[in-house]
């Protein structure tokens, strides 16, 4: 065990643990044991990712959160099914194929054949699943890849059909002609939530165009637009019925325009400049000739801006003014141009006013790819977003352009193709979400979210404004919508299963993709001899992922009881962007199907950004490769860094590789060092014949205050972790775990280092005390190892494999016992088979915790004082005093009693006292400050009087106020709780220096006097440190004994050793440093170095232990003595033969077992006698 390396390569260790888990099928075994025990089921849904790209930090973050929570549940007595899933259909896949095959429009796919296109799609959907499995497994996530589900599996698709039919039978499905967000890059409409996934800042043309009135062509209505490409399809103008409109003469051009009076600044921008604009200037710019209300303009006809649709059917209703209250007066002209094919409000307003009618085509001169078609000849074959400049040029030539500018604004882009979206009227299949929207909102209230504000604000607001959901896509690679119908949709059949399709069509299919089911027809019942054909569309892939709870189990065709017993899910987790994605679709479908939410608990994570705060970009290479980070620092470090950050509170994280390194340095290395230190000292203990067997009785019976404290802190941590994990608050758990590891390594182990080494006390008493400390250290290391299993699965497994060997049940692990129930510490082959520890209330000890907190604060403030006075920690200080505001009796008794020696040791002080309250006035001044936040509200204008009175209080006054619990100022009575007390050091004398805690509740004063005795002790400490560093450089273990010699020109070091002999004797178990002259000539130097002690150079050497000989012995005898090993000398004498002559040498006369023994016996060093 002592052969453990001084530093651990965490990444390589994790790789070996991965190999162990794979070889022993540990994940499978954990699940098997849980099933055997009949553990209560804990349902977890894993949202299916696309496997068309490699996993990034967003996936790693979400995966870590999911793994942590599900591991915790599994180790807390739950049976957790963790099944991987893959989103195989939809735009992400098709977009990749379109790029690969250079497909730019729909017709190319039809020419190629849907069967060939879909087969190509099928070929890439699992392209990266092996890489995903490799990365996810290396991250330590336990999830079942062998039994995964895919949205392209026939069973999954059949369940999706079932879901849709349930909605259809509830009359929640309809086909509508609606204006939808439309991706020209993917040639398909998108849902409203998809349109909100990818906004970008863009610059678009912003123009004002005139529309001359038919009855007076010298007067023109003017409208503003940022989409000039929609002007060829203009059919109407819309005004607000109640706004005030004016007809003005623009004096510079002599043109007459009509616009909203409030929007005159659009035509005359100087009016927006409050400093330059004066109403008197209006007469120079324009003249108001007439004023109207918007409703007075309704019905007026205007000359179309283009004549492309002037002679089309129903055009008699076109090109007139209508009104609607959606028009605003905060931008534009107060008159909105209407192109019903390209605007949701435009379509609604034009339909309501008879400009267009249901069932009839509306002007829409662009194809599925966003290219202009007939009759817009000037830009035919041009993409709409590239046609703006040409159309603006035509407008200018025709005298219709009034104003041209640019607008910088946020604009939606396709989340998959990254091309700008347009709004386009397309026929789609919809779910009537608005019909049951209120129920969705109510169901949301039944769920628990972390953080809660995402549920209460962001998600709630999205739900309250939810629109009917367009679930169809005019694409090819997806689950076909299971509707068979005749041409005019007067006869419609919705299919809910493969069996139903076979029954109605006479054809049984094995695959449900388009190339198969599109060939299947159903005989018409209304018109015998004719057939019904499947409609063209496929499902939006979000509909499939929202159906995942049912489809992954092939519900209701299989696993009916299992699904219903575990629904809703206990837990799901994904990123903030899924509030408009998966979280939404889950909630919609579960409400529609079962009237309840799909999940109970949800953790929302934020975004992981590059270090500069920008989005991570492969192209920019502005973030480190995740695989490289794992290979450098290990997956545990990355996991802890991510879930100990704001990102688990749905905030953004700027990823910094140094942060991962920080986890290694600040948590894992100290934790590993404590673990290695424990093993080394147990080995030392056992080498002396003391078998180490863990004993809870010994742990609980210890009287050592630090033992009691660390045990109490451990039980408190266990209690806290269970409470917080029950509330899914990872963001509170991780800081507590990190803090605990710091307490364990930086405080408990450091304070007890000598004790655990068996160096406190003498003989059996020292060993007994060492064993008690090691029992406690084992107990807390084991508890925290198991407790942190869900969070850092690798290092805890590594620690457990060593710690389990001390358990009596370890022998039962043989012959498969380690993979059997019941799980037992020692017997069980993995830490992850164990149940998490429950806290022991009897060991919670708030008094011990508070006393230790006081100790730590005193030590920290004492160190600050040392730094201020530039006093090395190796130089002792004479006296330390602590003044504590209102300490409990237990705290005072603790730090002046059993804990006092630790304070003295940590501060290298000779004396420590706590100043009693009766003497505080001689050391500190108590001052009070008003709590402005609280008193400001209570006192209002009287706050100044209160502040002045509080400021004028003396120390005695302040003490009296705090004792009485109130301060009376004139007619005001102020509660002492609303005053903030603060202590400040006031002891006189240059030898005193003090530091206080930020809240002023503790002041630590230090006597900084430096006399000869202090300086001598400081030098002794420096020499000790030099010796320890040499031992470390030589690679020595704790049990390795050495002899130490020093060589100096003067006598300062020797005097320091002489004056502090007891210190060296205790530290080195009787072996003290000696002058180099005392070293035998044959002493083997292990390490030597010139170091500085008290400002002087001294050479310090550590040597292998060897015999020392009497001066003047025969060279032959000396030769024999120098060759002997100490371990071989047993009975206090030795025989040797030199030149055929026998000699009997006696210990203490002719030889000694060490140089120290000789120096004492011969009085070669007088201070050693």
């Amino acid at each position: 065990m002592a052969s453990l390396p001084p530093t651990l390569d965490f990444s390589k260790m994790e790789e070996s643990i991965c190999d162990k888990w794979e070889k022993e099928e540990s994940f499978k075994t954990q699940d098997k044991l849980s099933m055997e025990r009949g553990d209560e089921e804990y349902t977890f849904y894993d949202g299916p990712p696309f496997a068309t790209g490699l996993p990034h930090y967003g996936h790693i973050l979400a995966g870590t959160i999911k793994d942590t929570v599900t591991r915790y549940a599994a180790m807390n007595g739950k049976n957790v099914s963790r099944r991987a899933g893959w989103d195989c259909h939809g735009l992400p896949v098709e977009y990749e194929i379109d790029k690969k095959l250079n497909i730019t429009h729909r017709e190319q796919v039809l020419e190629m054949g849907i069967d060939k296109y879909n087969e190509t799609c099928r070929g890439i959907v699992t392209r990266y699943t092996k890489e995903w499995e490799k990365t996810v497994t290396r991250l330590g996530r336990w999830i079942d890849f062998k039994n995964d589900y895919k949205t392209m599996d026939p069973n999954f698709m059949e369940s999706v059909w079932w879901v849709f039919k349930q909605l259809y039978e509830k009359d929640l499905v309809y086909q509508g002609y609606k204006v939808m967000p439309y991706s020209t890059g993917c040639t398909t409409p998108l849902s409203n939530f998809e349109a909100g996934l990818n906004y970008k800042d863009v610059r678009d043309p912003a123009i004002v165009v005139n529309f001359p009135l038919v009855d007076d062509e010298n007067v023109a209505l003017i409208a503003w637009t940022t989409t000039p490409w929609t002007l060829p399809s203009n059919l109407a103008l819309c005004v607000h019925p109640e706004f005030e409109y004016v007809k003005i003469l623009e004096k510079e051009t002599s043109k007459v325009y009509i616009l909203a009076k409030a929007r005159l600044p659009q035509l005359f921008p100087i009016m927006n400049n409050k400093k330059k604009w004066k109403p008197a200037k209006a007469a120079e710019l324009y003249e108001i000739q007439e004023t109207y209300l918007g409703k007075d303009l309704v019905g007026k006809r205007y000359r179309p801006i283009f004549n492309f649709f002037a002679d089309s059917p129903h055009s008699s209703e076109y090109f007139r003014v209508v009104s609607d209250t959606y028009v605003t007066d905060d931008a534009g002209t107060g008159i909105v141009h209407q192109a019903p094919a390209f605007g949701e409000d435009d379509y609604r307003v034009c339909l309501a006013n008879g400009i267009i009618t249901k069932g009839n085509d509306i002007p829409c001169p662009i194809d599925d790819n966003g290219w202009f078609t007939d009759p817009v000849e000037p830009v035919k074959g041009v993409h709409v977003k590239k046609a703006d400049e040409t159309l603006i040029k035509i407008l200018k030539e025709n005298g219709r352009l009034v104003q041209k500018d640019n607008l910088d604004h946020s604009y939606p882009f396709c989340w998959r193709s990254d091309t700008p979206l347009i709004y386009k009227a397309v026929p789609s299949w919809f779910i009537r979400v608005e019909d049951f929207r209120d129920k969705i909102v109510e169901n949301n209230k039944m769920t628990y979210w972390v953080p809660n504000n995402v549920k209460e604000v962001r998600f709630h607001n999205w739900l309250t404004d939810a629109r009917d959901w367009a679930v169809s896509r005019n694409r090819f690679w997806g689950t076909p919508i299971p509707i068979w119908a005749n041409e005019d949709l007067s006869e419609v059949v919705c299919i809910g299963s493969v069996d139903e399709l076979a029954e109605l069509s006479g054809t049984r299919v094995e695959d449900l993709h388009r190339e198969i089911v599109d060939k299947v027809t159903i005989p018409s019942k209304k018109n015998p001899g004719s057939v019904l054909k499947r409609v063209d569309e496929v499902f939006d892939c979000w509909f499939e992922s929202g159906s995942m709870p049912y489809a992954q189990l092939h519900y209701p065709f299989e696993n009916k009881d299992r699904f219903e017993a575990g629904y809703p899910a206990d837990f799901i987790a994904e990123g903030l962007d899924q509030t408009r994605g998966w979280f939404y679709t889950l909630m919609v479908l579960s409400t529609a199907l079962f009237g309840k939410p799909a999940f109970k608990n949800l953790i929302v994570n934020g975004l992981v950004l590059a270090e500069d705060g920008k989005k991570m970009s492969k192209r920019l290479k502005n973030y480190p490769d995740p695989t490289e980070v794992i290979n450098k620092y290990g997956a545990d470090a990355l996991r802890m860094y991510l879930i100990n950050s704001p990102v688990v509170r749905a905030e953004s994280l700027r990823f910094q590789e140094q942060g991962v390194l920080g986890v290694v340095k600040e948590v894992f290395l100290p934790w590993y060092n404590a673990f290695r230190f424990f093993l080394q000292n147990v080995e030392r203990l056992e080498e002396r014949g003391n078998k180490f067997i863990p004993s809870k009785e010994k742990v609980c019976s210890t009287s050592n205050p630090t033992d009691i404290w660390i045990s109490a802190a451990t039980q408190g941590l266990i209690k806290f972790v269970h409470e917080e994990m029950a509330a899914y608050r990872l963001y509170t758990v991780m800081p507590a775990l990190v803090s605990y590891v710091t307490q364990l390594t930086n405080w408990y182990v450091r304070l007890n280092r000598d004790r655990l080494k068996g160096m406190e006390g003498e003989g059996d008493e020292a060993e007994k005390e060492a064993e008690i400390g090691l029992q406690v250290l084992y107990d807390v290391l084991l508890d925290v190892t198991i407790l942190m299993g869900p969070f850092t699965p690798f290092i805890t497994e590594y620690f457990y494999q060593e710690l389990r060997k001390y358990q009596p049940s370890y022998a039962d692990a043989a012959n498969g016992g380690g993979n059997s129930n019941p799980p037992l510490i020692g017997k069980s082959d993995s830490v992850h088979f164990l149940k998490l520890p429950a806290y022991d209330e009897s060991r919670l000890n708030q008094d011990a915790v508070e006393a230790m907190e006081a100790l730590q604060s005193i030590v920290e403030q004492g160190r600050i004082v040392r730094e201020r006075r530039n006093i090395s920690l190796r130089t002792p200080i004479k006296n330390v005093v602590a003044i504590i505001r209102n300490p409990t009796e237990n705290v005072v008794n603790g730090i002046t009693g059993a804990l006092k020696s630790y304070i003295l040791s940590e501060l290298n002080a000779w004396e420590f006292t706590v100043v009693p309250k009766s003497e505080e006035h001689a050391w500190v001044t108590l001052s009070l400050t008003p709590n402005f936040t609280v008193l400001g509200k209570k006192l209002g204008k009287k706050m100044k009087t209160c502040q002045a009175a509080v400021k004028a209080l003396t120390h005695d006054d302040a003490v009296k106020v705090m004792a009485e619990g109130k301060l009376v100022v004139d007619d005001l009575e102020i509660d002492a709780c609303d005053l903030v007390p603060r202590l400040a050091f006031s002891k006189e004398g240059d030898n005193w220096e003090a530091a206080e805690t930020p809240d002023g509740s503790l002041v630590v004063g230090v006597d900084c006097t430096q006399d000869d005795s202090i300086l001598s002790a400081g030098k002794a400490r420096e020499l000790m440190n030099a010796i320890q560093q040499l031992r470390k450089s030589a690679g020595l273990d704790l049990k390795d004994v050495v002899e130490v010699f020093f060589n100096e020109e003067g006598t300062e070091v020797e005097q320091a050793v002489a004056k502090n002999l007891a210190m060296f004797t205790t530290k080195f178990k009787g072996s003290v440093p000696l002058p180099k002259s005392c070293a035998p000539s044959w002493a083997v130097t292990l390490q030597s170095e010139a170091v500085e002690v008290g400002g002087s150079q001294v050479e310090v050497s550590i040597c292998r232990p060897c015999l020392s000989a009497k001066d003047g012995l025969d060279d032959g005898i000396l030769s024999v003595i120098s060759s002997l090993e100490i371990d071989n000398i047993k009975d206090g004498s030795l025989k040797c033969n030199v030149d055929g002559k026998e000699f009997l040498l006696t210990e203490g006369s002719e030889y000694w077992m060490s140089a120290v023994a000789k120096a004492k016996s011969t009085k070669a060093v007088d201070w050693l006698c």
Side-chain angles (χ1 to χ4, degrees), residues 1074-1085:
L1074 293 174
K1076 188 71 176 283
S1077 59
C1078 296
S1081 60
W1082 52 83
V1084 176
T1085 300

Side-chain angles (χ1 to χ4, degrees), residues 736-799:
L737 288 170
V738 172
S739 174
Y740 175 83
V741 170
T742 302
Q743 293 288 312
L744 175 65
T745 59
N746 285 8
W747 288 99
Y748 180 76
V749 172
R750 195 181 74 244
L751 291 174
N752 289 281
R753 185 168 290 274
D754 286 349
R755 173 179 170 232
L756 297 170
K757 289 180 182 179
M759 296 173 66
E760 275 193 7
E762 294 294 332
D764 291 344
E765 191 59 39
E767 289 303 310
K768 181 182 177 183
E769 194 58 35
E771 194 212 345
I772 292 173
L774 290 170
Q775 288 283 359
V776 171
L777 184 53
Y778 177 86
D779 187 64
V780 299
L781 277 172
L782 184 63
D783 271 346
V784 81
T785 293
I786 301 170
L787 188 66
M788 286 193 71
F791 303 91
T792 53
F794 291 107
I795 195 170
T796 51
E797 186 74 278
Y798 179 78
F799 288 166

Side-chain angles (χ1 to χ4, degrees), residues 574 584 590 754 767 875 882 1066 1119:
E574 290 295 342
Y584 174 70
S590 65
D754 286 349
E767 289 303 310
T875 302
T1066 302
S1119 178

Side-chain angles (χ1 to χ4, degrees), residues 361-402:
D361 290 338
I362 57 176
C364 183
I366 67 169
D367 65 13
D368 292 336
N369 303 294
W371 298 347
F372 273 102
T373 60
D374 291 328
V376 189
E377 286 293 333
V379 285
K380 183 179 178 181
V382 178
H383 189 274
V384 292
K385 297 299 283 186
K386 294 182 178 178
D388 284 341
E389 289 304 318
T390 301
L391 292 170
I392 290 171
K393 184 179 178 183
I394 295 171
L395 291 170
K396 186 174 182 180
E397 291 170 352
N398 294 342
R400 306 299 290 269
L401 185 67
V402 176

Side-chain angles (χ1 to χ4, degrees), residues 683-690 757-758 763 767 1039 1069:
E683 185 173 285
R684 181 195 59 76
L685 191 75
E686 292 191 331
E687 283 178 351
R688 300 195 178 190
N690 301 312
K757 289 180 182 179
E767 289 303 310
K1039 65 181 182 297
K1069 292 294 181 184

Side-chain angles (χ1 to χ4, degrees), residues 461-480:
N461 292 344
W462 179 253
L463 293 180
T464 54
D465 290 332
R467 308 283 185 85
D468 286 356
W469 176 14
V471 296
S472 60
R473 297 291 178 267
N474 301 93
R475 297 300 302 179
F476 309 98
W477 177 241
T479 299

Side-chain angles (χ1 to χ4, degrees), residues 408-435:
D408 295 323
H409 64 141
S410 186
Y411 191 85
F413 277 62
C414 174
W415 64 278
R416 176 65 347 193
S417 64
D418 210 32
T419 53
L421 298 179
I422 63 172
Y423 280 78
K424 183 173 182 281
V426 289
S428 296
W429 291 93
F430 290 87
I431 307 299
R432 300 182 194 274
V433 173
E434 293 169 41
D435 284 11

